Amino acid sequence: MVSNADALKRQAADEAVHLVQDGMVVGLGSGSTAELFLAVLADRVKHGLKITGVPTSRRVAELAEGYGVPIASLEDVKQIQLTVDGADEILQPGLHLIKGRGAALLREKLVALSTEYLCIVADDSKLVKHLGEIQPVPVAVIPFGWRQTADRIRKLGGEPTLRLANERPLISDDELYILDCNFGPIAQPAELDAALKGLHGVVEHGIFIGLAAQAIVAGKDGITDLKPETVPS
Ligand code: A5P
């Protein structure tokens, strides 16, 4: 059954595919909305579009291969012209993000950092006035000493919960644990970004500051095309 949210995600994905041009290297985001984009992109590839995809997770790599979309690893490409990815929260203005509910935040950030134009696709439930309003911040940590790393995060004001899968710690594609850290509404996201990044044991976290160039957001009244400078109405 297609839910209303799925239909909105699909609309955003349909819109984003217009950004793709022949010959591009395209970062392939993770999560349900990015997977819808991949399905639409794959259809264009089937009809002759030539692109190389750079997947942000093993799951997306497998999906792309299944669709017949050519892929390469990040280290094998010089530049990524466009990445289309989802988000858990989108802050306006600025288009700062929380990502990582799908545990792919490390590869998503590495791909985003090597991308000329990061476009976020989402339904309008993701728009927030403060990051942290709805979702915790996922933090990817080294399993060794993770409880001590969690204590360091507590000192920054976050409440970490180890993410589980089948009652065992979830292991990311890069063999990391994920701590979902509840900071409540975050007043200074850029400061928290830097502080988390500076903690021993932390490899990466899901706050994305200043990386998105556009967000295509679908709501009941249609598509809204947001840029970092767009002021919320
Ligand atoms: C994956 O790790 C995440 O960053 C996703 O991009 C994010 O959770 C959005 O996912 P949905 O499109 O499924 O909401």
Side-chain angles (χ1 to χ4, degrees):
M1 200 179 84
V2 178
S3 74
N4 192 32
D6 288 341
L8 295 178
K9 289 175 186 182
R10 173 64 199 243
Q11 280 176 33
D14 280 343
E15 189 68 22
V17 88
H18 298 303
L19 296 170
V20 183
Q21 291 172 19
D22 214 48
M24 275 183 166
V25 177
V26 181
L28 303 173
S30 297
S32 58
T33 322
E35 286 183 14
L36 287 168
F37 167 78
L38 175 57
V40 185
L41 181 67
D43 192 53
R44 285 196 54 197
V45 169
K46 207 189 287 172
H47 289 89
L49 178 78
K50 300 258 182 303
I51 58 111
T52 301
V54 178
T56 53
S57 59
R58 286 197 189 140
R59 176 182 161 88
V60 165
E62 280 165 20
L63 281 174
E65 280 176 334
Y67 284 135
V69 173
I71 57 170
S73 190
L74 179 57
E75 62 276 16
D76 295 327
V77 299
K78 283 209 181 79
Q79 179 65 298
I80 300 172
Q81 281 81 43
L82 168 73
T83 290
V84 177
D85 203 346
D88 302 315
E89 289 187 347
I90 305 168
L91 178 66
Q92 255 197 296
L95 301 187
H96 308 312
L97 313 168
I98 288 183
K99 289 185 50 54
R101 212 156 48 101
L105 62 113
L106 172 58
R107 295 188 188 199
E108 287 174 332
K109 196 175 278 187
L110 290 172
V111 167
L113 287 164
S114 297
T115 293
E116 285 168 20
Y117 196 90
L118 171 63
C119 175
I120 297 299
V121 280
D123 67 84
D124 61 0
S125 68
K126 307 292 182 68
L127 291 173
V128 294
K129 292 197 169 62
H130 293 95
L131 292 183
E133 206 171 275
I134 310 169
Q135 297 290 338
V137 179
V139 181
V141 302
I142 305 277
F144 183 76
W146 71 269
R147 287 183 200 280
Q148 287 78 359
T149 304
D151 285 341
R152 293 182 194 111
I153 294 171
R154 274 189 199 96
K155 287 189 185 138
L156 293 181
E159 190 43 53
T161 303
L162 180 64
R163 196 181 297 184
L164 303 177
N166 301 321
E167 296 175 24
R168 302 192 56 79
L170 180 140
I171 313 271
S172 77
D173 284 356
D174 299 289
E175 315 276 311
L176 302 170
Y177 285 179
I178 305 290
L179 298 175
D180 288 307
C181 302
N182 184 1
F183 285 90
I186 300 165
Q188 310 275 8
E191 280 75 357
L192 185 58
D193 167 6
L196 282 169
K197 196 67 189 141
L199 293 182
H200 296 290
V202 168
V203 177
E204 196 47 89
H205 60 75
I207 300 176
F208 285 46
I209 299 288
L211 292 174
Q214 180 181 6
I216 297 175
V217 179
K220 65 175 175 23
D221 297 327
I223 295 280
T224 312
D225 188 358
L226 302 174
K227 298 285 160 53
E229 60 279 9
T230 312
V231 177
S233 48

